[in-house]
């Protein structure tokens, strides 16, 4: 009896060690695919930033960071260490690239880093709000770009490799696409979108192959990864096609091509021209402004002027040091007489509502602004008004007193060329790289005239002629949207564009003809609401409304003795002033007349006034609450998106845990199966399968109690869930495998089968799936949703007995 029950030591070879986990060289491939996917999505930034200027710095950031993370996986460090190494590598790379003088050992931020960081962030902010896209890649902007893409790459790599959820990496790639989708007139663009989709599918394929290789112990790989990737790609394409039919704000095409939603609201910042073209392309108005005025003539609201045409991007000069503080009493503009005869005072009350900008919108030329909150200063060079305390125009209601000169074509026609010193050189200078077509076309249009006014009218008539057409889409399609000398040249060739192109071209041609010029940015007169209100001294003010659809640019030309005079070269937009509405015929002598005009002396004061006719406006009527309704809908959409992402978090965490357990079980199953006569256990596979089974059961309302044994719980679950047939058999196998792994003695060598019960096979994940499907089939719809989206097992995780 004693001999029968004893366990003699094995007579042959010692127990074999458990099989080592398979090598995982595939994580290098997945990380490489992450790099490729982030770079593919980043190609959409061409057009937001100068094309390809971002590539070098981004590569120098992403490659070291992802390389460091891949090395930690090769060393088999855990996921938390990998994430920490990635963040530290990103900090080191950014420090070496942008803060070398403030660093310690070149990669550690030093004491001076915070101050330099603030300077670069301020520079980035100024770049974003003061330049027209594509913006120039300043150090501050490149820092922000590299930091953002680096963080996104870290998250995508962790999700794809550490958590084993590569499909979720699409959210990170979508984050990169958001900025160009909002900023660029044509959205993300089809090439960048296709490149991103292909890179994403490639990432999914490699991640799936890695998963299959790990699950099979490195022996074989499934061939289903390509099909699954194709299905995901087809689903993404279907969503892309469906979006324009379900989301307002698209005018044509699909997400990467069609006009995109402008979720950030009105054109704000230091340069209102940054998104002027985008504003005009938006089918619904936003940034609503109402104003009431006693002006008899249509009133333009001006925010700022562009006068420096020497750079690649035309932007307003803040001239902070030259500004005069206090706007209640604004003096005369440089080069303009303080007491201009035959001028009238106009009162205008402006309510900005949702429009926000550091530049104040006001009629030209303001002489005083009252009831304005915050600190503001005015520029004697152009009468622009700028906030000096970080404030904006949002939710302001203020009263502007402005001076309006009564101008006639006869009065302007006798003004000779201005003195070279009458205005600052910035208003007359043309850069050396001014395209030849600008000079040639100017000469063709103006050389037969002497007077500045006749030349100005000739240029305006040329641009408003039948050869030119108004279009907000042609510059996008032709690749010359924006401003700059090269844009003006291409516009003169294509002869199609919108106000930015017409105003900029007329200003440049005027300078080429010897007339000082600048470009004003603001709003056309808008639409009357029919309401009136009482103004200063009992005057009646008529109310008008403007929004983003009224965004406009127009040229202002300088005439000595009068000052800056507005013209309107853009066909079908705005209001042509009364002094420039006639069919063109010169007022003064031509260049070949023997009696030339004497330009000396002060010009006669214009002696008549003509009211401007109200031309038909192309702008749509701005509804009373259109902007507010859109703002509420966009806010609701963003809040809803955030709620959806938050709701998905438990599902993602639970899915990651399930995938890890599945890998443990499948690897063990592929390695050969059962506990053998050499005494090997099941290496935790049975525990992982049983833990998943009990947690899934808990999610569906069948909780494992602390006092339950495996048999007690299995019996109660079989009874309560109504298991029969395959589900009951699978649950029994899982329970038996767990009991054997947890409670059997695996260290004393083999024993006769009669003395030691053991399962016929190792746990199979198919059994877990069978039990899960049975639980799901026997539950209500609400229980299934709760089990998937709000799994209780995240709070009540399985705890083994610890007896192994």
């Amino acid at each position: 009896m004693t001999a029968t029950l004893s366990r003699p030591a094995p007579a042959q070879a010692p127990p074999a060690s458990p099989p080592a986990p398979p090598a995982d060289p595939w994580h290098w491939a997945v990380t490489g695919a992450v790099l490729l996917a982030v770079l593919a999505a980043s190609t959409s930034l061409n057009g937001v930033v100068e094309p390809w200027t971002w590539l070098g710095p981004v590569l120098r950031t992403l490659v070291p960071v992802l390389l460091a993370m891949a090395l930690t996986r090769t060393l088999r460090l855990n996921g938390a260490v990998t994430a920490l190494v990635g963040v530290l590598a990103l900090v080191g790379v950014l420090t070496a690239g942008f803060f070398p003088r403030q660093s310690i050992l070149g990669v550690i931020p030093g004491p001076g880093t915070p101050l330099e960081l603030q300077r670069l962030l301020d520079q980035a902010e100024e770049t974003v709000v003061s330049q027209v896209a594509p913006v120039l890649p300043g150090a501050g902007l490149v820092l922000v770009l590299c930091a953002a893409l680096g963080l996104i790459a870290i998250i995508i790599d962790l999700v794809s490799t550490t958590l084993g959820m590569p499909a979720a990496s699409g959210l990170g790639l979508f984050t990169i696409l958001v900025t160009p989708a909002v900023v660029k007139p044509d959205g993300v663009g089809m090439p960048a979108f296709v490149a991103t989709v292909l890179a994403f599918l490639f990432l999914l394929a490699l991640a799936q192959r890695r998963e299959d290789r790990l699950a099979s112990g490195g022996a074989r790989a499934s061939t289903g990864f390509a099909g699954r990737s194709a299905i995901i790609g087809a689903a993404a394409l279907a969503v892309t096609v469906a979006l324009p039919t379900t989301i307002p704000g698209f005018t044509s095409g699909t997400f990467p091509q069609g006009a995109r939603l402008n979720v950030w609201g009105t054109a704000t910042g230091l340069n209102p021209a940054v998104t002027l073209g985008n504003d005009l392309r938006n089918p619904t108005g936003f940034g609503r402004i109402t104003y009431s005025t006693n002006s008899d003539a249509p009133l333009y609201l001006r925010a700022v002027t562009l006068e420096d045409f020497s750079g690649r991007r035309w932007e307003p000069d803040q001239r902070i040091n030259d500004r005069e503080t206090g706007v209640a009493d604004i003096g005369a503009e440089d080069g303009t007489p303080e007491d201009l005869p035959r001028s009238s005072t106009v009162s205008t009350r402006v309510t900005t509502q949702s429009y926000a900008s550091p530049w104040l919108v006001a009629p030209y030329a303001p002489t005083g602004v009252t009831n304005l909150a915050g600190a503001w200063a005015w520029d004697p060079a152009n009468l622009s008004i700028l906030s000096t305390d970080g404030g904006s125009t949002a939710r302001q209601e203020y009263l502007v007193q402005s001076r309006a000169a009564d101008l006639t074509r006869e009065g302007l026609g006798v003004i000779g060329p201005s003195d070279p010193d009458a205005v600052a050189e910035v208003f007359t200078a043309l850069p050396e790289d001014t395209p030849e077509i600008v000079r040639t076309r100017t000469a063709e249009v103006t050389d037969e005239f002497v007077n500045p006014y006749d030349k100005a009218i000739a240029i305006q008539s040329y641009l408003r002629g039948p050869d030119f057409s108004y279009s907000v889409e042609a510059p996008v399609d032709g690749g010359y949207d924006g401003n700059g000398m090269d844009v003006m040249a291409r516009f003169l060739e294509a002869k199609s564009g919108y106000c930015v192109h017409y105003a900029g071209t007329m200003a440049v041609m005027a300078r080429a003809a010897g007339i000082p010029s600048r470009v004003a940015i603001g709003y056309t007169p808008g639409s009357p609401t029919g309401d009136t209100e009482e103004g200063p001294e009992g005057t009646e003010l008529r109310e008008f409304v403007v929004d983003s659809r009224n965004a406009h640019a127009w040229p202002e030309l300088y005439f000595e003795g009068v000052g800056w005079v507005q013209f309107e070269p853009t066909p079908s937009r705005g209001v042509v002033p009364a002094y420039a509405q006639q069919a063109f015929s010169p007022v003064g002598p031509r260049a070949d007349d023997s009696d030339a005009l004497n330009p000396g002396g002060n010009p006669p004061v214009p002696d008549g006034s003509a009211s401007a006719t109200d031309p038909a406006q192309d702008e749509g009527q701005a509804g009373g609450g259109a902007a507010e309704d859109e703002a509420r809908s966009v806010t609701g959409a963003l809040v809803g998106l955030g709620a959806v992402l938050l709701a998905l978090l438990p599902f993602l965490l639970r899915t990651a845990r399930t995938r890890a357990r599945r890998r443990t079980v499948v690897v063990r199953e592929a390695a050969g199966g059962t506990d053998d006569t050499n005494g090997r256990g099941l290496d935790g596979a049975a525990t992982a399968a049983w833990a998943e089974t009990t947690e899934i059961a808990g999610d569906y309302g069948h909780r494992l109690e602390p006092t339950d044994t495996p048999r007690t719980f299995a019996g109660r679950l079989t009874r309560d869930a109504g298991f029969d047939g395959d589900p009951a058999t699978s649950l029994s196998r899982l329970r038996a495998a767990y009991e054997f792994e947890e409670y059997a003695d695996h260290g004393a060598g083999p024993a006769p089968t009669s003395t030691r019960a053991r399962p016929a096979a190792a746990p199979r994940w198919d059994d877990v799936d069978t039990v899960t499907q049975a639980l799901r089939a026997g539950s209500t719809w609400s229980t299934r949703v709760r089990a998937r989206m709000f799994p209780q097992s995240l709070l009540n995780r399985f705890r083994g007995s610890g007896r192994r």
Side-chain angles (χ1 to χ4, degrees):
M1 178 73 67
T2 303
T4 303
L5 296 177
S6 63
R7 295 184 179 183
Q12 298 181 4
S17 59
D24 181 21
W26 281 91
H27 75 82
W28 286 94
V30 176
T31 297
V34 169
L35 174 63
L36 181 64
V38 174
L39 291 176
S42 300
T43 60
S44 63
L45 295 174
N46 286 336
V48 177
V49 185
E50 282 286 328
W52 305 114
T53 53
W54 52 270
L55 182 58
V58 167
L59 278 175
R60 290 192 292 270
T61 300
L62 297 184
V63 171
V65 170
L66 294 177
L67 181 63
M69 296 177 70
L71 287 174
T72 61
R73 295 190 182 96
T74 300
L75 298 176
R76 301 190 179 183
L77 302 178
N78 63 40
V81 174
T82 300
L84 179 61
V85 168
V87 172
L88 292 178
L90 177 61
V91 172
V93 170
L94 294 178
T95 300
F98 297 94
F99 312 102
R101 296 182 179 178
Q102 293 79 23
S103 66
I104 300 173
L105 301 178
V107 294
I108 303 174
T113 302
L115 193 61
E116 179 66 9
L117 174 62
Q118 185 60 52
R119 187 187 71 81
L120 290 178
L121 291 179
D122 290 343
Q123 183 186 106
E125 179 183 6
E126 182 177 350
T127 298
V128 170
V129 300
S130 67
Q131 290 192 19
V132 176
V135 300
L136 300 177
L141 182 67
V142 174
L143 167 63
V144 173
L145 189 64
C146 290
L149 292 178
L151 286 174
I152 291 173
I154 290 174
I155 293 172
I156 293 177
D157 190 53
L158 290 173
V159 169
S160 301
T161 308
T162 302
L163 298 181
M165 296 167 18
S169 65
L171 293 175
L173 299 177
F174 177 78
T175 302
I176 299 175
L177 300 179
V178 165
T179 297
V182 171
V183 173
K184 293 167 63 175
D186 58 345
V188 173
M190 189 59 73
F193 180 74
V194 171
T196 304
V197 170
L198 293 178
F200 177 55
L201 296 179
F202 183 61
L203 171 61
L204 290 179
L206 288 181
Q208 183 62 54
R209 167 158 278 190
R210 172 176 179 260
E211 180 74 15
D212 291 342
R213 296 282 292 186
L214 291 177
S216 63
R220 59 184 175 84
S222 170
T223 59
F225 61 91
R228 287 188 287 270
S229 298
I231 292 173
I232 293 174
L237 184 60
V239 171
T240 299
V241 173
L243 274 178
T245 64
T246 58
I247 298 181
F250 289 83
T251 56
S252 62
T254 55
F255 167 70
Q257 283 294 105
R260 78 285 174 277
L261 278 170
N262 192 336
V263 299
W264 309 119
T266 185
T268 60
L270 293 176
N271 188 353
V274 169
T275 57
L276 196 152
N278 297 338
D279 296 345
L280 295 175
R281 279 181 284 267
N282 194 302
T284 59
F286 55 84
R288 191 169 186 262
I289 301 173
T290 58
Y291 70 92
S292 303
T293 182
N294 62 355
S295 174
D296 294 329
L299 201 63
Y300 279 59
L301 296 181
R302 193 186 71 159
V304 70
T305 64
L306 313 177
E307 49 257 355
D308 186 356
F309 299 160
S310 61
R312 297 172 63 189
R313 296 290 178 268
W314 300 349
E315 57 191 66
D317 188 345
Q318 298 182 55
R319 286 190 283 266
I320 295 296
N321 296 330
D322 298 331
R323 289 186 173 270
E324 300 285 345
T325 58
V327 294
D329 185 13
I330 298 176
E333 186 175 13
D334 293 345
T336 302
E338 293 189 11
D339 298 319
L340 184 65
R342 299 196 61 82
S343 62
S344 58
T345 299
V346 175
S347 297
T348 306
R349 182 174 288 118
V350 182
T351 304
T352 56
Q353 301 185 27
S354 59
Y355 172 80
S357 171
W359 298 99
L360 193 74
V361 289
Y364 180 77
T367 58
V369 183
T370 55
N371 197 36
L372 187 61
W376 299 80
W378 61 280
D379 185 357
N382 59 12
L383 297 186
S384 65
I385 302 172
L386 177 66
S387 173
T388 56
D389 62 352
S392 77
T393 60
R395 303 292 185 255
Q396 297 265 16
E397 183 176 343
Y398 51 92
L399 180 67
V400 182
Q401 299 291 338
S402 58
R403 182 178 59 175
D406 297 328
L407 303 175
T408 65
R409 62 187 296 263
E410 291 79 15
L412 293 172
V414 297
I415 299 176
S418 60
D419 188 285
D421 298 327
V423 293
E425 184 181 358
V426 70
F427 296 104
T428 60
L430 279 176
E432 294 182 357
D433 61 347
T434 301
E436 185 60 31
I437 187 176
V438 173
R439 300 184 186 275
T440 301
R441 203 61 50 85
T442 301
E444 294 173 356
V445 172
T446 66
D447 270 4
E448 63 175 307
F449 305 111
V450 175
N451 290 349
Y453 172 76
D454 289 337
K455 292 183 178 183
I457 292 297
I459 297 172
Q460 177 181 275
S461 299
Y462 167 70
L463 294 174
R464 294 182 67 89
D467 292 339
F468 285 83
S469 62
Y470 180 88
S471 172
V472 295
E473 301 297 342
V476 177
D477 298 337
Y480 58 92
D481 195 20
N483 58 33
M485 286 296 179
D486 56 334
V487 172
M488 300 303 104
R490 297 183 64 180
F491 165 70
L492 284 174
E493 295 172 350
K495 294 183 171 60
S496 184
Y498 55 92
C499 56
V500 169
H501 306 93
Y502 285 94
T505 301
M506 181 167 180
V508 172
M509 292 178 69
R511 291 192 185 185
I515 310 171
S517 67
R518 64 193 184 194
V519 174
I521 303 294
Y523 293 89
T524 57
S527 306
T529 65
D531 295 335
T532 61
E533 61 178 278
E534 185 176 346
E537 302 178 355
T539 58
E540 183 181 79
L541 307 181
R542 294 180 299 143
E543 186 179 70
F544 295 79
V545 61
V546 298
D547 58 31
S548 61
R549 292 169 296 185
N550 301 97
H552 194 51
W554 62 92
E556 293 179 346
L557 276 54
Y558 180 78
F559 292 84
E560 191 166 1
V562 174
W564 292 93
V565 177
Q566 169 193 329
F567 287 85
E568 185 53 86
T570 306
S572 77
R573 296 286 293 185
V575 179
V576 179
Y579 49 82
Q581 284 186 0
Q582 80 293 333
F584 176 66
S585 61
V587 174
R590 295 176 179 266
D592 56 358
D593 286 349
S594 57
D595 253 346
L597 174 71
N598 178 12
N602 293 327
V605 178
D607 56 0
S609 61
S611 61
T613 59
D614 294 337
Q617 296 292 313
D618 289 308
E619 297 91 343
Q621 298 294 327
E628 287 78 2
D629 291 342
E630 183 186 8
R632 283 193 294 270
S633 65
V634 170
T635 301
L638 293 177
V639 171
L641 179 60
V644 169
L645 293 177
L646 185 62
L648 286 175
L649 184 60
F651 168 77
L652 295 175
L653 294 175
R654 185 67 181 85
T655 302
R657 184 190 297 175
T658 299
R659 291 174 66 90
R661 287 171 175 163
R662 178 183 179 276
R663 181 180 301 170
T664 299
V665 175
V666 173
V667 167
R668 177 58 191 169
E669 182 182 350
T674 68
D675 177 69
D676 58 26
T677 56
N678 289 329
R680 288 202 301 260
L682 298 178
D683 305 324
T687 300
W690 184 249
E692 183 68 16
T693 303
T694 56
E695 288 186 5
I696 287 291
D699 292 339
Y700 282 93
H702 307 281
R703 183 176 176 180
L704 174 67
E705 300 297 337
T707 57
D708 281 342
T709 65
R711 289 177 181 271
T712 302
F713 175 74
R716 186 173 72 251
L717 179 61
T718 300
R719 180 182 64 255
D720 293 348
F723 284 175
D724 191 14
D726 289 342
T729 302
S730 294
L731 180 62
S732 177
R733 278 199 297 262
L734 292 168
R735 186 263 308 160
Y738 172 67
E739 287 181 332
F740 179 74
E741 181 176 272
E742 188 72 12
Y743 301 112
D745 184 2
H746 301 289
T753 57
S754 61
T755 64
R756 191 156 60 105
R758 59 186 178 85
R764 296 181 301 175
W765 193 258
D766 289 344
D767 289 333
V768 178
D769 288 338
T770 299
V771 172
T772 301
Q773 292 168 5
L775 288 168
R776 185 178 296 118
S779 301
T780 63
W781 178 85
S782 60
T783 300
R784 291 197 295 269
V785 172
R786 185 170 61 251
R788 295 288 286 172
M789 304 307 298
F790 307 102
Q792 295 298 309
S793 54
L794 288 178
L795 302 177
N796 301 297
R797 187 168 184 173
F798 174 81
R799 297 286 185 265
S801 66
R803 294 182 53 187
R804 287 192 67 212

